[in-house]
Amino acid sequence: MAASLPQQSMLDQVNQLWSMLDDMSQTNPESYQKFIKRHLQEGLEQCAPPEPHTCVETRILDPEEDVLYINLCGWSRVPAPESDSAPVPLSAGKLEKLNEGNEVYKLVDVAYNPRVLKRGEEDGIEMDQLIRLAMKYIEQQYEVRLTRSYELASYKLKGSATRMKRSLSGPAKPNPQTPESGGSLLQQIRCLRVEGEAESSPSIELFTEKGSKPRKAGFIEVLSSTELEPAPVQTPSYHLSVSKDENGRATTIQLNVHLPEVSSVSECDLAISQDDVLIEVQDRYRLHLNLPESVDEESVNAKFNRRSRVLFVTMPVL
């Protein structure tokens, strides 16, 4: 079957380029060598594997609770934003469940252009936005609900580097044969492949909330830059009281939080340590309090009254 006009036109342009390079190699060898070296260097940078940058630990709340790690990586194959107001591209692998010794957890690898992560290193707010952008993508892509809080791990990568590269790049194909010596440089360039790389690059798609198109691992997602802004949340009204025994020793801390826009306790994300409490309702409420006494977080009791829309949290004091 004859090639379509656009394809034929492209082939003609490619042939013209090869012809021009052949002429340049004869008439101006120095410029020819500079041209080839520059484009080979650019090609090597584009084919460089992703590099680990930051590991984030958070939690999946729905459909079932689980620990989630997000490996943020720098990858030259992911394009940088065209401007400060342009969408931020990202590339992501699959949501995997891994078993590492006695630890079972879920993991997603997310890659940004290295320049994007460099700006995040220089601006903590921008890094927070990149992390929340990755979390928002994971929620919408894999239909899970995450807690709004996260922690930065002390290490850059969870799991092995080999698994991370395979997750982002896709399975590698067998290495092609090395081109025979004696041919022209241009003929050898035609046969060049980067070791371990698949012949095809990840497909490029636009990420939209309404899209129902199946997605594949290793593609490049583009989210609207407006989604970088964290959703505005309210600080709910609350009442905190401390009960004491007859000797004046604190026994229980009672926290009552009014959440008028909440209809079920499943919408609330409650995290309690010995010294503080964090209550979050996605995109609506956030309350973080330092506790006046150390509490036993294992014995905390929380109840939600649907009629009054009040969350009652009872915390025994240590």
Side-chain angles (χ1 to χ4, degrees), residues 63-76:
E64 59 181 13
E65 290 195 26
D66 213 334
V67 177
L68 173 68
Y69 291 95
I70 305 171
N71 286 328
L72 295 185
C73 306
W75 199 14
S76 298

Side-chain angles (χ1 to χ4, degrees), residues 72-218:
L72 295 185
C73 306
W75 199 14
S76 298
R77 186 176 295 183
V78 181
E82 297 179 358
S83 66
D84 290 341
S85 60
V88 178
L90 65 83
S91 175
K94 296 184 295 184
L95 175 63
E96 302 180 62
K97 187 167 187 175
L98 302 178
N99 190 331
E100 196 174 279
N102 295 325
E103 184 182 14
V104 179
Y105 58 89
K106 291 188 177 178
L107 178 64
V108 178
D109 303 290
V110 176
Y112 290 105
N113 185 276
R115 284 183 287 172
V116 172
L117 292 174
K118 181 66 175 177
R119 290 199 301 267
E121 293 176 1
E122 299 168 354
D123 185 342
I125 294 178
E126 187 158 350
M127 178 57 76
D128 176 73
Q129 291 178 341
L130 292 174
I131 292 172
R132 295 193 182 279
L133 177 60
M135 292 171 66
K136 185 176 182 66
Y137 161 74
I138 291 169
E139 284 187 316
Q140 299 194 13
Q141 171 69 11
Y142 297 109
E143 298 181 351
V144 298
R145 184 168 70 90
L146 306 181
T147 176
R148 297 297 92 192
S149 58
Y150 64 83
E151 293 183 3
L152 298 181
S154 58
Y155 41 84
K156 293 183 178 181
L157 181 70
K158 186 71 172 178
S160 70
T162 300
R163 186 216 55 79
M164 177 270 291
K165 293 173 184 178
R166 183 176 64 247
S167 173
L168 288 172
S169 303
K173 296 182 180 179
N175 293 336
Q177 296 180 352
T178 304
E180 298 179 2
S181 60
S184 70
L185 178 59
L186 288 179
Q187 289 173 335
Q188 295 182 48
I189 291 173
R190 288 191 182 99
C191 300
L192 284 179
R193 294 286 188 274
V194 176
E195 182 178 357
E197 280 288 312
E199 293 182 4
S200 59
S201 299
S203 58
I204 298 177
E205 301 182 17
L206 291 180
F207 175 58
T208 57
E209 295 186 11
K210 297 181 180 179
S212 57
K213 184 177 180 180
R215 306 185 187 278
K216 301 181 289 184

